[in-house]
Amino acid sequence: MIAFLFTLAASFGVSTTGFAQGASLPVDDAGIVSAGESLYKNNCVVCHSVGSDVVVGPGMKGVNERRTQPWLLSWIKNSQALIASGDKDAVAIYNQFNKQAMPSFAFSDEEIVSILTYIKSAESAAAEAPAAGATAAAAPGENVGTDAIGAVGGYLDIILVVLIVVLIVLVVTLLLITSVLKNYLNKNKQLDEYDNEIVNQRFDFSKIYKSKAVRTLVVLIFVVVLIDLTLDKAMGIGIQQGYAPTQPIAFSHKLHAGEHQIDCNYCHTTVYESKSASIPSANICMNCHSQIKAESPEIQKIYKAIERNKPIEWVRIHNLPDLAYFNHSQHTQVGGVECQTCHGPIQEMEVVSQYAPLTMAWCIDCHRETPLNTEGNAYYDNLVKLHESTTKSAFTVSSNGGAECSKCHY
Ligand code: HEC
Ligand code: HEC
Ligand code: HEC
Ligand code: HEC
Ligand code: HEC
Ligand code: HEC
């Protein structure tokens, strides 16, 4: 008995040390991979791609090789604590990404290992099938669906054009051949009455109409056109996405927020306190531009606006319909959502464009997927307990009523 307990303890000990040293991940266990995939898609995909593209944070490709498993476990549970402890790698990557705090995740070790396993398996899947890898790497954000539809739509257009060209060529050649044959027969052959009738008969449309081949072709073309139109409609839903109007002054976020690292709320002063983010007045520009580049023609436009006592007429990009209520401070200050999650990599944009679709589905999807930060807030204690007694899923924004119509509609 004692021997049995001893072996049990020993094997347990072995397995935990193996685990702590980053033993190989169970990539062959489909259950673990899919559990990891859903955790990843619900919590990480807004900021990380499984490939090497930077979204908000670094691409996850090769992360299991780059870092040890204990490091990854403590990073994902609480990256700020790891940074505060002075861990060299943690501080380095934090600085590299402009000190953007990654949210903490209250996951168990097993859950995190399943995420890492999913990342690992997505990598090997990408290596085996480059085409599948491309879609996996494109995973972040809402764009995937529309991109995929866009690609299919593009192919359909090409197929359509090719079909029409082939058809025209076919008809023309057939007509040429018949006329040549007709001439030949009329000139060189002695035709009896019956043959003569056939050779010189008028063009008979009903025959064409009855022909099976022609019918199938027409139906085929009809179907292709129909699919093409439907896909165009489907893409039209997010029609404002990507909207990037030319602004009256060539103001660059890449230069100001990117290279010169000016804080977003230096200009968008109310974004943490109120409903609206606010667009800076010309006076805020003058804090710097009374000195910097004063002679540049673009900066002269700011001076002119101030002289005439008229605001600069920036073209509005994001605009929800009046029926919807959206509040910035609720998301940025209370929810801790980064600007980039909704607005994309603004600090890299020369001209701002609308990154997210801003549809109702987009709002609600995020509310369903984002765990609510309830830590240290006694108000939530009972709600969370109640939730956990009924279901195993995380306590998300929508568990707290964030999908109720009245929250977003007056
Ligand atoms: C709101 C954005 C955001 C979310 C959500 C997010 N991360 Fe991060 N993550 C970051 C940023 C930004 C960094 C870069 C370091 C920094 O600035 O803190 C990072 C860094 C990392 C790193 C270190 C990468 C390296 O090369 O060392 C790992 C690992 C990581 N994240 C895993 C995850 C996992 C797993 C999830 C989901 C459970 C997740 N992250 C969710 C933003 C995010
Ligand atoms: C130096 C001032 C300044 C800083 C810093 C700045 N912005 Fe802006 N932002 C502007 C101005 C001016 C506009 C209006 C002109 C334009 O769209 O480019 C604007 C427009 C925007 C818009 C589009 C508003 C609309 O019309 O819908 C978004 C979104 C935005 N900023 C986000 C950010 C984020 C996120 C950051 C930080 C990474 C940031 N800004 C930093 C000045 C600034
Ligand atoms: C905190 C300081 C700061 C603020 C505030 C600021 N800028 Fe700038 N701006 C800069 C710096 C620094 C440069 C780069 C100058 C250089 O390239 O030498 C710059 C460059 C520019 C340029 C390019 C000028 C050129 O011809 O190269 C434009 C246009 C501009 N800013 C517009 C604005 C507008 C509009 C605002 C107000 C919404 C604004 N800036 C607010 C610091 C600021
Ligand atoms: C949860 C998503 C979300 C986050 C996070 C977010 N925004 Fe917005 N932002 C929006 C939406 C939606 C609108 C359109 C609001 C409207 O039309 O009423 C918007 C509009 C804006 C505008 C245009 C002016 C206005 O208030 O309508 C600016 C500027 C802006 N955001 C800046 C920022 C900055 C800076 C941050 C980070 C500090 C940020 N946003 C974070 C979703 C977000
Ligand atoms: C990137 C994720 C994300 C997106 C996109 C998003 N939200 Fe939210 N939203 C949150 C989070 C997180 C909270 C919870 C903040 C808190 O109270 O801690 C929240 C809370 C809210 C609340 C308050 C809910 C309550 O229970 O009091 C409203 C209202 C709201 N969001 C409206 C919107 C609207 C409208 C949109 C789309 C235009 C939107 N949100 C898009 C993440 C998001
Ligand atoms: C998290 C925020 C949110 C919640 C919850 C929400 N909506 Fe919306 N809703 C929006 C936004 C944002 C829009 C405008 C975006 C658009 O036009 O796609 C919208 C648009 C609509 C529209 C107009 C659609 C159109 O085509 O113009 C209707 C109707 C609507 N919502 C009904 C509802 C009903 C019913 C519920 C409850 C079951 C609900 N909404 C819950 C955010 C929300």
Side-chain angles (χ1 to χ4, degrees), residues 304-324:
K304 290 224 177 77
I306 289 177
E307 265 165 35
R308 288 195 210 120
N309 206 7
K310 268 192 172 168
I312 304 167
E313 291 179 357
W314 302 110
V315 182
R316 185 169 182 134
I317 301 160
H318 299 76
N319 206 353
L320 288 176
D322 288 341
L323 56 88

Side-chain angles (χ1 to χ4, degrees), residues 59-107:
M60 286 289 100
K61 191 168 179 209
V63 77
N64 288 302
E65 286 72 39
R66 207 155 58 230
R67 312 287 183 207
T68 64
Q69 206 168 83
W71 188 93
L72 288 169
L73 289 173
S74 39
W75 173 270
I76 293 165
K77 284 178 185 168
N78 191 339
S79 65
Q80 289 300 304
L82 194 61
I83 293 161
S85 80
D87 180 276
K88 205 166 73 311
D89 293 333
V91 172
I93 188 121
Y94 184 56
N95 288 334
Q96 189 190 333
F97 283 82
N98 297 329
K99 304 200 169 162
Q100 289 184 49
M102 174 172 131
S104 301
F105 294 92
F107 290 150

Side-chain angles (χ1 to χ4, degrees), residues 57-386:
M60 286 289 100
K61 191 168 179 209
V63 77
N64 288 302
E65 286 72 39
R66 207 155 58 230
R67 312 287 183 207
T68 64
Q69 206 168 83
W71 188 93
L72 288 169
L73 289 173
S74 39
W75 173 270
I76 293 165
K77 284 178 185 168
N78 191 339
S79 65
Q80 289 300 304
L82 194 61
I83 293 161
S85 80
D87 180 276
K88 205 166 73 311
D89 293 333
V91 172
I93 188 121
Y94 184 56
N95 288 334
Q96 189 190 333
F97 283 82
N98 297 329
K99 304 200 169 162
Q100 289 184 49
M102 174 172 131
S104 301
F105 294 92
F107 290 150
S108 66
D109 288 358
E110 286 72 31
E111 283 171 320
I112 295 180
V113 168
S114 75
I115 296 177
L116 298 173
T117 309
Y118 163 67
I119 291 170
K120 182 86 195 159
S121 79
E123 261 167 34
S124 33
E128 278 159 26
T135 34
E142 311 281 334
N143 303 334
V144 192
T146 41
D147 279 359
I149 294 173
V152 175
Y155 282 129
L156 283 178
D157 280 345
I158 296 172
I159 293 173
L160 202 69
V161 170
V162 169
L163 266 180
I164 291 174
V165 170
V166 167
L167 211 72
I168 293 175
V169 170
L170 212 74
V171 168
V172 169
T173 6
L174 282 178
L175 285 178
L176 277 177
I177 291 175
T178 35
S179 87
V180 168
L181 278 179
K182 223 196 289 188
N183 281 344
Y184 173 78
L185 287 174
N186 280 337
K187 271 193 205 138
N188 301 327
K189 294 272 165 158
Q190 210 64 291
L191 298 168
D192 62 28
E193 201 171 322
Y194 179 71
D195 284 344
N196 194 27
E197 194 183 325
I198 289 196
V199 168
N200 289 317
Q201 73 183 331
R202 301 274 309 280
F203 200 55
D204 186 351
F205 281 103
S206 72
K207 273 214 181 109
I208 293 189
Y209 172 72
K210 280 180 191 141
S211 140
K212 254 204 184 124
V214 171
R215 277 190 182 184
T216 346
L217 248 171
V218 168
V219 169
L220 198 76
I221 291 176
F222 182 73
V223 168
V224 170
V225 170
L226 205 73
I227 294 177
D228 194 45
L229 283 180
T230 336
L231 286 177
D232 274 350
K233 261 268 160 52
M235 285 190 296
I237 292 168
I239 203 141
Q240 288 290 320
Q241 202 168 7
Y243 177 54
T246 318
Q247 299 290 351
I249 297 177
F251 174 81
S252 161
H253 277 81
K254 187 173 178 213
L255 185 64
H256 290 85
E259 280 167 39
H260 291 282
Q261 307 219 349
I262 307 172
D263 259 358
C264 309
N265 70 328
Y266 183 95
C267 293
H268 303 291
T269 49
T270 60
V271 73
Y272 290 107
E273 290 126 43
S274 79
K275 176 180 179 302
S276 140
S278 79
I279 297 292
S281 69
N283 290 330
I284 293 184
C285 312
M286 291 311 286
N287 289 348
C288 299
H289 286 291
S290 55
Q291 314 290 331
I292 298 171
K293 283 263 178 178
E295 64 307 323
S296 147
E298 291 298 317
I299 302 299
Q300 290 292 327
K301 291 184 193 167
I302 309 177
Y303 295 169
K304 290 224 177 77
I306 289 177
E307 265 165 35
R308 288 195 210 120
N309 206 7
K310 268 192 172 168
I312 304 167
E313 291 179 357
W314 302 110
V315 182
R316 185 169 182 134
I317 301 160
H318 299 76
N319 206 353
L320 288 176
D322 288 341
L323 56 88
Y325 172 81
F326 176 83
N327 186 320
H328 268 96
S329 72
Q330 175 92 51
H331 290 85
T332 54
Q333 182 73 23
V334 184
V337 185
E338 298 286 338
C339 314
Q340 283 79 359
T341 309
C342 298
H343 292 300
I346 292 271
Q347 70 285 353
E348 288 160 21
M349 295 182 193
E350 207 64 68
V351 177
V352 178
S353 74
Q354 183 176 319
Y355 172 80
L358 261 57
T359 54
M360 181 161 128
W362 173 73
C363 310
I364 292 182
D365 280 350
C366 182
H367 286 182
R368 288 217 180 103
E369 287 164 7
T370 312
L372 198 63
N373 183 8
T374 55
E375 243 161 78
N377 190 337
Y379 168 78
Y380 289 116
D381 286 353
N382 286 331
L383 287 173
V384 173
K385 263 199 210 111
L386 187 70

